[in-house]
mmCIF file of all heavy atoms in Angstrom:
data_model
loop_
_atom_site.group_PDB
_atom_site.id
_atom_site.type_symbol
_atom_site.label_atom_id
_atom_site.label_comp_id
_atom_site.label_asym_id
_atom_site.label_seq_id
_atom_site.Cartn_x
_atom_site.Cartn_y
_atom_site.Cartn_z
ATOM 1 N N ILE F 1 9.911 6.517 27.517
ATOM 2 C CA ILE F 1 9.131 7.011 26.339
ATOM 3 C C ILE F 1 9.899 6.898 25.075
ATOM 4 O O ILE F 1 9.426 6.478 24.050
ATOM 5 C CB ILE F 1 8.679 8.481 26.584
ATOM 6 C CG1 ILE F 1 7.802 8.553 27.879
ATOM 7 C CG2 ILE F 1 7.905 8.991 25.395
ATOM 8 C CD1 ILE F 1 6.705 7.592 27.918
ATOM 9 N N LEU F 2 11.212 7.229 25.024
ATOM 10 C CA LEU F 2 12.052 7.124 23.833
ATOM 11 C C LEU F 2 12.173 5.677 23.450
ATOM 12 O O LEU F 2 12.151 5.381 22.255
ATOM 13 C CB LEU F 2 13.400 7.748 24.157
ATOM 14 C CG LEU F 2 13.419 9.230 24.267
ATOM 15 C CD1 LEU F 2 14.864 9.722 24.620
ATOM 16 C CD2 LEU F 2 12.961 9.959 23.093
ATOM 17 N N ALA F 3 12.324 4.760 24.399
ATOM 18 C CA ALA F 3 12.401 3.397 24.077
ATOM 19 C C ALA F 3 11.131 2.787 23.403
ATOM 20 O O ALA F 3 11.129 2.127 22.410
ATOM 21 C CB ALA F 3 12.802 2.554 25.290
ATOM 22 N N LEU F 4 10.006 3.118 24.008
ATOM 23 C CA LEU F 4 8.748 2.724 23.523
ATOM 24 C C LEU F 4 8.551 3.340 22.098
ATOM 25 O O LEU F 4 8.082 2.651 21.186
ATOM 26 C CB LEU F 4 7.654 3.124 24.399
ATOM 27 C CG LEU F 4 7.369 2.313 25.648
ATOM 28 C CD1 LEU F 4 6.405 2.935 26.639
ATOM 29 C CD2 LEU F 4 6.821 0.893 25.235
ATOM 30 N N GLY F 5 8.888 4.604 21.947
ATOM 31 C CA GLY F 5 8.771 5.214 20.622
ATOM 32 C C GLY F 5 9.641 4.512 19.621
ATOM 33 O O GLY F 5 9.252 4.327 18.444
ATOM 34 N N ALA F 6 10.853 4.194 19.930
ATOM 35 C CA ALA F 6 11.716 3.497 19.038
ATOM 36 C C ALA F 6 11.146 2.157 18.562
ATOM 37 O O ALA F 6 11.265 1.774 17.357
ATOM 38 C CB ALA F 6 13.158 3.325 19.664
ATOM 39 N N PHE F 7 10.620 1.473 19.506
ATOM 40 C CA PHE F 7 9.985 0.121 19.154
ATOM 41 C C PHE F 7 8.878 0.322 18.180
ATOM 42 O O PHE F 7 8.782 -0.398 17.090
ATOM 43 C CB PHE F 7 9.460 -0.531 20.445
ATOM 44 C CG PHE F 7 8.672 -1.780 20.179
ATOM 45 C CD1 PHE F 7 9.173 -2.934 19.619
ATOM 46 C CD2 PHE F 7 7.277 -1.740 20.493
ATOM 47 C CE1 PHE F 7 8.429 -4.049 19.355
ATOM 48 C CE2 PHE F 7 6.461 -2.863 20.216
ATOM 49 C CZ PHE F 7 7.084 -3.981 19.644
ATOM 50 N N GLU F 8 8.022 1.294 18.377
ATOM 51 C CA GLU F 8 6.897 1.501 17.545
ATOM 52 C C GLU F 8 7.337 2.039 16.144
ATOM 53 O O GLU F 8 6.679 1.782 15.128
ATOM 54 C CB GLU F 8 5.904 2.370 18.186
ATOM 55 C CG GLU F 8 5.157 1.807 19.379
ATOM 56 C CD GLU F 8 3.994 2.447 19.833
ATOM 57 O OE1 GLU F 8 3.289 3.163 19.027
ATOM 58 O OE2 GLU F 8 3.662 2.400 21.100
ATOM 59 N N ARG F 9 8.443 2.761 16.142
ATOM 60 C CA ARG F 9 8.947 3.256 14.863
ATOM 61 C C ARG F 9 9.456 2.220 13.936
ATOM 62 O O ARG F 9 9.663 2.413 12.791
ATOM 63 C CB ARG F 9 10.026 4.364 15.113
ATOM 64 C CG ARG F 9 9.452 5.631 15.654
ATOM 65 C CD ARG F 9 10.525 6.740 15.917
ATOM 66 N NE ARG F 9 9.901 7.870 16.436
ATOM 67 C CZ ARG F 9 9.291 8.843 15.679
ATOM 68 N NH1 ARG F 9 9.281 8.659 14.394
ATOM 69 N NH2 ARG F 9 8.737 9.942 16.212
ATOM 70 N N ALA F 10 9.785 1.034 14.644
ATOM 71 C CA ALA F 10 10.320 -0.053 13.888
ATOM 72 C C ALA F 10 9.262 -1.070 13.458
ATOM 73 O O ALA F 10 9.497 -2.093 12.719
ATOM 74 C CB ALA F 10 11.365 -0.905 14.732
ATOM 75 N N LEU F 11 7.981 -0.880 13.820
ATOM 76 C CA LEU F 11 6.873 -1.712 13.485
ATOM 77 C C LEU F 11 6.356 -1.401 12.062
ATOM 78 O O LEU F 11 5.316 -0.807 11.884
ATOM 79 C CB LEU F 11 5.719 -1.577 14.459
ATOM 80 C CG LEU F 11 6.086 -1.986 15.935
ATOM 81 C CD1 LEU F 11 4.892 -1.698 16.799
ATOM 82 C CD2 LEU F 11 6.379 -3.519 15.958
ATOM 83 N N VAL F 12 7.138 -1.752 11.084
ATOM 84 C CA VAL F 12 6.868 -1.460 9.691
ATOM 85 C C VAL F 12 6.595 -2.796 8.963
ATOM 86 O O VAL F 12 7.312 -3.785 9.017
ATOM 87 C CB VAL F 12 8.040 -0.760 9.019
ATOM 88 C CG1 VAL F 12 7.664 -0.418 7.547
ATOM 89 C CG2 VAL F 12 8.383 0.567 9.752
ATOM 90 N N THR F 13 5.440 -2.903 8.236
ATOM 91 C CA THR F 13 4.982 -4.064 7.547
ATOM 92 C C THR F 13 4.744 -3.834 6.035
ATOM 93 O O THR F 13 3.607 -3.689 5.654
ATOM 94 C CB THR F 13 3.751 -4.697 8.174
ATOM 95 O OG1 THR F 13 2.687 -3.676 8.065
ATOM 96 C CG2 THR F 13 3.965 -4.997 9.624
ATOM 97 N N PRO F 14 5.750 -3.866 5.267
ATOM 98 C CA PRO F 14 5.566 -3.610 3.795
ATOM 99 C C PRO F 14 4.715 -4.762 3.194
ATOM 100 O O PRO F 14 4.762 -5.939 3.715
ATOM 101 C CB PRO F 14 6.976 -3.697 3.228
ATOM 102 C CG PRO F 14 7.874 -3.359 4.380
ATOM 103 C CD PRO F 14 7.193 -3.938 5.587
ATOM 104 N N SER F 15 4.010 -4.421 2.157
ATOM 105 C CA SER F 15 3.095 -5.370 1.564
ATOM 106 C C SER F 15 3.342 -5.434 0.012
ATOM 107 O O SER F 15 4.234 -4.808 -0.496
ATOM 108 C CB SER F 15 1.622 -4.896 1.728
ATOM 109 O OG SER F 15 1.322 -3.747 1.051
ATOM 110 N N ARG F 16 2.535 -6.220 -0.753
ATOM 111 C CA ARG F 16 2.657 -6.309 -2.079
ATOM 112 C C ARG F 16 2.427 -4.927 -2.774
ATOM 113 O O ARG F 16 2.953 -4.686 -3.876
ATOM 114 C CB ARG F 16 1.604 -7.370 -2.641
ATOM 115 C CG ARG F 16 2.010 -8.761 -2.375
ATOM 116 C CD ARG F 16 0.929 -9.731 -2.968
ATOM 117 N NE ARG F 16 -0.304 -9.613 -2.432
ATOM 118 C CZ ARG F 16 -1.394 -9.167 -3.007
ATOM 119 N NH1 ARG F 16 -1.308 -8.716 -4.270
ATOM 120 N NH2 ARG F 16 -2.575 -9.175 -2.496
ATOM 121 N N PHE F 17 1.639 -4.099 -2.169
ATOM 122 C CA PHE F 17 1.443 -2.826 -2.736
ATOM 123 C C PHE F 17 2.685 -1.959 -2.804
ATOM 124 O O PHE F 17 2.934 -1.196 -3.723
ATOM 125 C CB PHE F 17 0.381 -1.964 -1.927
ATOM 126 C CG PHE F 17 -0.057 -0.662 -2.530
ATOM 127 C CD1 PHE F 17 -0.491 -0.651 -3.846
ATOM 128 C CD2 PHE F 17 0.020 0.486 -1.814
ATOM 129 C CE1 PHE F 17 -0.913 0.566 -4.469
ATOM 130 C CE2 PHE F 17 -0.348 1.729 -2.348
ATOM 131 C CZ PHE F 17 -0.791 1.758 -3.686
ATOM 132 N N ASP F 18 3.572 -2.164 -1.886
ATOM 133 C CA ASP F 18 4.889 -1.521 -1.853
ATOM 134 C C ASP F 18 5.737 -1.983 -3.090
ATOM 135 O O ASP F 18 6.373 -1.228 -3.733
ATOM 136 C CB ASP F 18 5.669 -1.731 -0.607
ATOM 137 C CG ASP F 18 4.948 -1.073 0.639
ATOM 138 O OD1 ASP F 18 5.039 0.178 0.789
ATOM 139 O OD2 ASP F 18 4.209 -1.766 1.306
ATOM 140 N N MET F 19 5.562 -3.332 -3.291
ATOM 141 C CA MET F 19 6.354 -3.864 -4.409
ATOM 142 C C MET F 19 5.785 -3.306 -5.745
ATOM 143 O O MET F 19 6.572 -2.988 -6.681
ATOM 144 C CB MET F 19 6.207 -5.379 -4.447
ATOM 145 C CG MET F 19 6.834 -6.141 -3.235
ATOM 146 S SD MET F 19 6.412 -7.837 -3.129
ATOM 147 C CE MET F 19 7.095 -8.479 -4.627
ATOM 148 N N TYR F 20 4.494 -3.135 -5.789
ATOM 149 C CA TYR F 20 3.846 -2.559 -7.012
ATOM 150 C C TYR F 20 4.406 -1.110 -7.163
ATOM 151 O O TYR F 20 4.778 -0.696 -8.293
ATOM 152 C CB TYR F 20 2.303 -2.548 -6.749
ATOM 153 C CG TYR F 20 1.580 -1.853 -7.915
ATOM 154 C CD1 TYR F 20 1.380 -2.515 -9.101
ATOM 155 C CD2 TYR F 20 1.080 -0.518 -7.721
ATOM 156 C CE1 TYR F 20 0.663 -1.857 -10.135
ATOM 157 C CE2 TYR F 20 0.377 0.051 -8.740
ATOM 158 C CZ TYR F 20 0.142 -0.566 -9.987
ATOM 159 O OH TYR F 20 -0.513 0.135 -10.929
ATOM 160 N N LEU F 21 4.301 -0.266 -6.132
ATOM 161 C CA LEU F 21 4.799 1.092 -6.250
ATOM 162 C C LEU F 21 6.247 1.273 -6.634
ATOM 163 O O LEU F 21 6.662 2.160 -7.237
ATOM 164 C CB LEU F 21 4.624 1.856 -4.932
ATOM 165 C CG LEU F 21 3.081 2.043 -4.562
ATOM 166 C CD1 LEU F 21 3.094 2.683 -3.129
ATOM 167 C CD2 LEU F 21 2.408 3.028 -5.489
ATOM 168 N N LYS F 22 7.033 0.156 -6.342
ATOM 169 C CA LYS F 22 8.389 0.210 -6.659
ATOM 170 C C LYS F 22 8.693 -0.392 -8.150
ATOM 171 O O LYS F 22 9.827 -0.372 -8.544
ATOM 172 C CB LYS F 22 9.222 -0.635 -5.752
ATOM 173 C CG LYS F 22 9.360 0.015 -4.314
ATOM 174 C CD LYS F 22 10.104 -0.891 -3.379
ATOM 175 C CE LYS F 22 10.192 -0.277 -1.962
ATOM 176 N NZ LYS F 22 10.914 -1.115 -1.034
ATOM 177 N N GLY F 23 7.623 -0.651 -8.812
ATOM 178 C CA GLY F 23 7.710 -1.091 -10.207
ATOM 179 C C GLY F 23 7.358 -2.467 -10.615
ATOM 180 O O GLY F 23 7.360 -2.790 -11.796
ATOM 181 N N ASP F 24 6.996 -3.300 -9.616
ATOM 182 C CA ASP F 24 6.658 -4.665 -9.947
ATOM 183 C C ASP F 24 5.141 -4.721 -10.320
ATOM 184 O O ASP F 24 4.251 -4.841 -9.434
ATOM 185 C CB ASP F 24 6.942 -5.594 -8.809
ATOM 186 C CG ASP F 24 6.628 -7.009 -9.065
ATOM 187 O OD1 ASP F 24 6.124 -7.338 -10.163
ATOM 188 O OD2 ASP F 24 6.961 -7.897 -8.280
ATOM 189 N N ILE F 25 4.769 -4.531 -11.619
ATOM 190 C CA ILE F 25 3.403 -4.422 -11.961
ATOM 191 C C ILE F 25 2.629 -5.701 -11.675
ATOM 192 O O ILE F 25 1.372 -5.597 -11.319
ATOM 193 C CB ILE F 25 3.354 -4.299 -13.522
ATOM 194 C CG1 ILE F 25 4.064 -2.966 -13.885
ATOM 195 C CG2 ILE F 25 1.935 -4.280 -14.076
ATOM 196 C CD1 ILE F 25 3.246 -1.700 -13.561
ATOM 197 N N ASP F 26 3.256 -6.856 -11.624
ATOM 198 C CA ASP F 26 2.544 -8.092 -11.378
ATOM 199 C C ASP F 26 2.418 -8.363 -9.892
ATOM 200 O O ASP F 26 1.831 -9.451 -9.570
ATOM 201 C CB ASP F 26 3.300 -9.250 -12.021
ATOM 202 C CG ASP F 26 3.412 -9.200 -13.512
ATOM 203 O OD1 ASP F 26 2.423 -8.638 -14.111
ATOM 204 O OD2 ASP F 26 4.394 -9.598 -14.151
ATOM 205 N N ALA F 27 2.734 -7.451 -9.045
ATOM 206 C CA ALA F 27 2.557 -7.608 -7.576
ATOM 207 C C ALA F 27 1.072 -7.611 -7.206
ATOM 208 O O ALA F 27 0.645 -8.211 -6.148
ATOM 209 C CB ALA F 27 3.356 -6.548 -6.802
ATOM 210 N N LEU F 28 0.287 -6.891 -8.072
ATOM 211 C CA LEU F 28 -1.207 -6.878 -7.782
ATOM 212 C C LEU F 28 -1.931 -7.657 -8.841
ATOM 213 O O LEU F 28 -1.504 -7.650 -10.003
ATOM 214 C CB LEU F 28 -1.619 -5.432 -7.812
ATOM 215 C CG LEU F 28 -1.087 -4.440 -6.831
ATOM 216 C CD1 LEU F 28 -1.827 -3.060 -6.940
ATOM 217 C CD2 LEU F 28 -1.216 -4.956 -5.416
ATOM 218 N N SER F 29 -2.990 -8.272 -8.428
ATOM 219 C CA SER F 29 -3.811 -8.952 -9.416
ATOM 220 C C SER F 29 -4.677 -8.034 -10.162
ATOM 221 O O SER F 29 -4.710 -6.781 -9.900
ATOM 222 C CB SER F 29 -4.744 -9.892 -8.612
ATOM 223 O OG SER F 29 -5.770 -9.143 -7.918
ATOM 224 N N GLU F 30 -5.306 -8.477 -11.224
ATOM 225 C CA GLU F 30 -6.072 -7.640 -12.092
ATOM 226 C C GLU F 30 -7.246 -6.992 -11.298
ATOM 227 O O GLU F 30 -7.595 -5.788 -11.454
ATOM 228 C CB GLU F 30 -6.658 -8.373 -13.293
ATOM 229 C CG GLU F 30 -5.623 -8.728 -14.343
ATOM 230 C CD GLU F 30 -4.776 -7.486 -14.758
ATOM 231 O OE1 GLU F 30 -5.399 -6.543 -15.104
ATOM 232 O OE2 GLU F 30 -3.494 -7.581 -14.725
ATOM 233 N N GLU F 31 -7.906 -7.745 -10.381
ATOM 234 C CA GLU F 31 -9.012 -7.241 -9.621
ATOM 235 C C GLU F 31 -8.486 -6.184 -8.655
ATOM 236 O O GLU F 31 -9.122 -5.145 -8.486
ATOM 237 C CB GLU F 31 -9.770 -8.266 -8.872
ATOM 238 C CG GLU F 31 -11.011 -7.721 -8.091
ATOM 239 C CD GLU F 31 -11.889 -8.842 -7.380
ATOM 240 O OE1 GLU F 31 -11.320 -9.936 -7.272
ATOM 241 O OE2 GLU F 31 -12.928 -8.470 -7.091
ATOM 242 N N GLU F 32 -7.336 -6.402 -8.071
ATOM 243 C CA GLU F 32 -6.738 -5.419 -7.173
ATOM 244 C C GLU F 32 -6.408 -4.124 -7.922
ATOM 245 O O GLU F 32 -6.568 -3.051 -7.350
ATOM 246 C CB GLU F 32 -5.453 -6.054 -6.499
ATOM 247 C CG GLU F 32 -5.779 -7.059 -5.454
ATOM 248 C CD GLU F 32 -4.611 -7.907 -5.026
ATOM 249 O OE1 GLU F 32 -3.604 -7.737 -5.727
ATOM 250 O OE2 GLU F 32 -4.726 -8.631 -4.008
ATOM 251 N N LYS F 33 -5.931 -4.262 -9.099
ATOM 252 C CA LYS F 33 -5.665 -3.065 -9.872
ATOM 253 C C LYS F 33 -6.937 -2.306 -10.261
ATOM 254 O O LYS F 33 -6.978 -1.072 -10.248
ATOM 255 C CB LYS F 33 -4.894 -3.418 -11.164
ATOM 256 C CG LYS F 33 -3.508 -3.872 -10.970
ATOM 257 C CD LYS F 33 -2.896 -4.400 -12.285
ATOM 258 C CE LYS F 33 -1.576 -5.177 -12.080
ATOM 259 N NZ LYS F 33 -1.004 -5.737 -13.230
ATOM 260 N N THR F 34 -7.983 -3.074 -10.485
ATOM 261 C CA THR F 34 -9.253 -2.424 -10.794
ATOM 262 C C THR F 34 -9.684 -1.643 -9.511
ATOM 263 O O THR F 34 -10.231 -0.567 -9.610
ATOM 264 C CB THR F 34 -10.352 -3.508 -11.135
ATOM 265 O OG1 THR F 34 -9.945 -4.163 -12.357
ATOM 266 C CG2 THR F 34 -11.753 -2.828 -11.312
ATOM 267 N N GLY F 35 -9.492 -2.325 -8.330
ATOM 268 C CA GLY F 35 -9.901 -1.664 -7.096
ATOM 269 C C GLY F 35 -9.030 -0.392 -6.844
ATOM 270 O O GLY F 35 -9.563 0.610 -6.342
ATOM 271 N N LEU F 36 -7.794 -0.485 -7.205
ATOM 272 C CA LEU F 36 -6.947 0.656 -7.101
ATOM 273 C C LEU F 36 -7.370 1.871 -7.900
ATOM 274 O O LEU F 36 -7.459 3.003 -7.491
ATOM 275 C CB LEU F 36 -5.514 0.299 -7.396
ATOM 276 C CG LEU F 36 -4.455 1.423 -7.627
ATOM 277 C CD1 LEU F 36 -4.347 2.249 -6.291
ATOM 278 C CD2 LEU F 36 -3.078 0.907 -7.991
ATOM 279 N N ARG F 37 -7.746 1.520 -9.158
ATOM 280 C CA ARG F 37 -8.262 2.493 -10.137
ATOM 281 C C ARG F 37 -9.445 3.138 -9.562
ATOM 282 O O ARG F 37 -9.684 4.400 -9.616
ATOM 283 C CB ARG F 37 -8.475 1.907 -11.472
ATOM 284 C CG ARG F 37 -8.857 2.895 -12.572
ATOM 285 C CD ARG F 37 -8.994 2.169 -13.905
ATOM 286 N NE ARG F 37 -7.702 1.689 -14.475
ATOM 287 C CZ ARG F 37 -7.390 0.377 -14.443
ATOM 288 N NH1 ARG F 37 -8.255 -0.563 -13.986
ATOM 289 N NH2 ARG F 37 -6.208 -0.079 -14.884
ATOM 290 N N LEU F 38 -10.483 2.384 -9.061
ATOM 291 C CA LEU F 38 -11.717 2.888 -8.460
ATOM 292 C C LEU F 38 -11.419 3.684 -7.207
ATOM 293 O O LEU F 38 -12.012 4.753 -7.006
ATOM 294 C CB LEU F 38 -12.579 1.706 -8.153
ATOM 295 C CG LEU F 38 -13.243 0.953 -9.254
ATOM 296 C CD1 LEU F 38 -13.925 -0.323 -8.821
ATOM 297 C CD2 LEU F 38 -14.338 1.878 -9.969
ATOM 298 N N PHE F 39 -10.453 3.276 -6.413
ATOM 299 C CA PHE F 39 -10.119 4.029 -5.144
ATOM 300 C C PHE F 39 -9.668 5.380 -5.504
ATOM 301 O O PHE F 39 -9.990 6.319 -4.806
ATOM 302 C CB PHE F 39 -8.979 3.198 -4.451
ATOM 303 C CG PHE F 39 -8.612 3.653 -3.097
ATOM 304 C CD1 PHE F 39 -9.407 3.161 -2.000
ATOM 305 C CD2 PHE F 39 -7.646 4.603 -2.835
ATOM 306 C CE1 PHE F 39 -9.092 3.615 -0.692
ATOM 307 C CE2 PHE F 39 -7.360 5.025 -1.532
ATOM 308 C CZ PHE F 39 -8.086 4.498 -0.472
ATOM 309 N N ILE F 40 -8.986 5.563 -6.624
ATOM 310 C CA ILE F 40 -8.452 6.857 -7.044
ATOM 311 C C ILE F 40 -9.603 7.677 -7.679
ATOM 312 O O ILE F 40 -9.843 8.830 -7.370
ATOM 313 C CB ILE F 40 -7.247 6.727 -7.970
ATOM 314 C CG1 ILE F 40 -6.095 6.143 -7.253
ATOM 315 C CG2 ILE F 40 -6.883 8.114 -8.575
ATOM 316 C CD1 ILE F 40 -4.946 5.801 -8.096
ATOM 317 N N GLU F 41 -10.364 7.029 -8.682
ATOM 318 C CA GLU F 41 -11.358 7.711 -9.435
ATOM 319 C C GLU F 41 -12.534 8.074 -8.682
ATOM 320 O O GLU F 41 -13.062 9.154 -8.893
ATOM 321 C CB GLU F 41 -11.748 6.815 -10.658
ATOM 322 C CG GLU F 41 -10.705 6.605 -11.673
ATOM 323 C CD GLU F 41 -11.104 5.604 -12.737
ATOM 324 O OE1 GLU F 41 -12.160 4.974 -12.634
ATOM 325 O OE2 GLU F 41 -10.328 5.459 -13.793
ATOM 326 N N LYS F 42 -12.832 7.310 -7.713
ATOM 327 C CA LYS F 42 -14.080 7.671 -6.898
ATOM 328 C C LYS F 42 -13.862 8.731 -5.835
ATOM 329 O O LYS F 42 -14.720 9.371 -5.300
ATOM 330 C CB LYS F 42 -14.573 6.366 -6.157
ATOM 331 C CG LYS F 42 -15.104 5.312 -7.109
ATOM 332 C CD LYS F 42 -16.332 5.725 -7.889
ATOM 333 C CE LYS F 42 -16.900 4.611 -8.783
ATOM 334 N NZ LYS F 42 -18.152 5.023 -9.507
ATOM 335 N N GLY F 43 -12.539 8.993 -5.559
ATOM 336 C CA GLY F 43 -12.221 10.073 -4.635
ATOM 337 C C GLY F 43 -11.721 9.618 -3.301
ATOM 338 O O GLY F 43 -11.410 10.451 -2.412
ATOM 339 N N CYS F 44 -11.578 8.316 -3.070
ATOM 340 C CA CYS F 44 -11.101 7.763 -1.799
ATOM 341 C C CYS F 44 -9.679 8.290 -1.473
ATOM 342 O O CYS F 44 -9.393 8.602 -0.346
ATOM 343 C CB CYS F 44 -11.084 6.281 -1.817
ATOM 344 S SG CYS F 44 -12.621 5.472 -2.342
ATOM 345 N N ALA F 45 -8.889 8.472 -2.542
ATOM 346 C CA ALA F 45 -7.474 8.815 -2.385
ATOM 347 C C ALA F 45 -7.315 10.253 -2.041
ATOM 348 O O ALA F 45 -6.196 10.762 -1.841
ATOM 349 C CB ALA F 45 -6.737 8.439 -3.639
ATOM 350 N N SER F 46 -8.407 11.052 -2.146
ATOM 351 C CA SER F 46 -8.271 12.458 -1.761
ATOM 352 C C SER F 46 -7.991 12.614 -0.305
ATOM 353 O O SER F 46 -7.376 13.670 0.167
ATOM 354 C CB SER F 46 -9.540 13.197 -2.166
ATOM 355 O OG SER F 46 -10.646 12.719 -1.467
ATOM 356 N N CYS F 47 -8.426 11.670 0.503
ATOM 357 C CA CYS F 47 -8.166 11.736 1.954
ATOM 358 C C CYS F 47 -7.160 10.623 2.373
ATOM 359 O O CYS F 47 -6.291 10.834 3.213
ATOM 360 C CB CYS F 47 -9.412 11.528 2.770
ATOM 361 S SG CYS F 47 -10.582 12.931 2.681
#
């Protein structure tokens, strides 16, 4: 169980959104930023 858990704990797949959160504004397109803004404003990010 510990070995299986360790394997799954290493299954990490960073994306462009992580680059954005770290300060790379250009990692997201303008439409993606619009979607991010809507995601927050409409309430999706509350959950």
